[in-house]
Amino acid sequence: MNYQIVCAGIGGRGVLLASTVLIETAIHSGYHALASDEYGMSQRGGSVVSLIKIGEFKSPLVGRESADILLAFEESEFYRNLPFLKKGGLGVVNSRNSALPEAILGLLTEREIGHFLIDADGIATDAGTIQASNMALLGFFSHLSVGPYTYGNVRDTIETRTKGKFVAKNLAVFDAGYNHAKDSSI
């Protein structure tokens, strides 16, 4: 099993914690994993991209139209990093919108790319912590059960990887994201 995943967002949105959870979940499930992070002005809200490869790869870099999955923690970063997704790939996007613009939908259809929009910010805000929207996105993604990323595997990693005082809140938001996908019959 080989997966190439791109996590994209902006500074302060938990992109690096989410990618760490994905990497450690894969390793705990017995897979080989590589990663590379790109962040420059992340402290000032700049772009943050984490490239993850699960399987027998020699380089952590993900090439154009090679990624299986794009987890976008900001809708604008989905557009910016869309060239990473391969034909037939999957995008999971944090968005308050109910649909993407027609031009983007046409491109996704042409390239047979599936996508889900989830209001991760809204889910996290309802749980009392917008800072944990990354956990809502991971919860939603875990409902898809792609490779080692099942609900139990990802939740276990969050429980062991998150700092003590944030564990309960992060798990609550993760569960809310998972239940949102479940309740949406996804």
Side-chain angles (χ1 to χ4, degrees), residues 123 135-136 139 151 155 170-180:
I123 291 170
M135 295 295 131
Y151 169 79
R155 196 176 196 282
N170 281 343
L171 290 177
V173 177
F174 173 81
D175 288 346
Y178 176 85
N179 288 329
H180 177 77

Side-chain angles (χ1 to χ4, degrees), residues 7 94 110 117 121 126 144 162 167-168:
C7 294
N94 176 19
E110 180 181 309
L117 299 180
D121 290 343
D126 289 347
L144 303 175
T162 304
V167 171

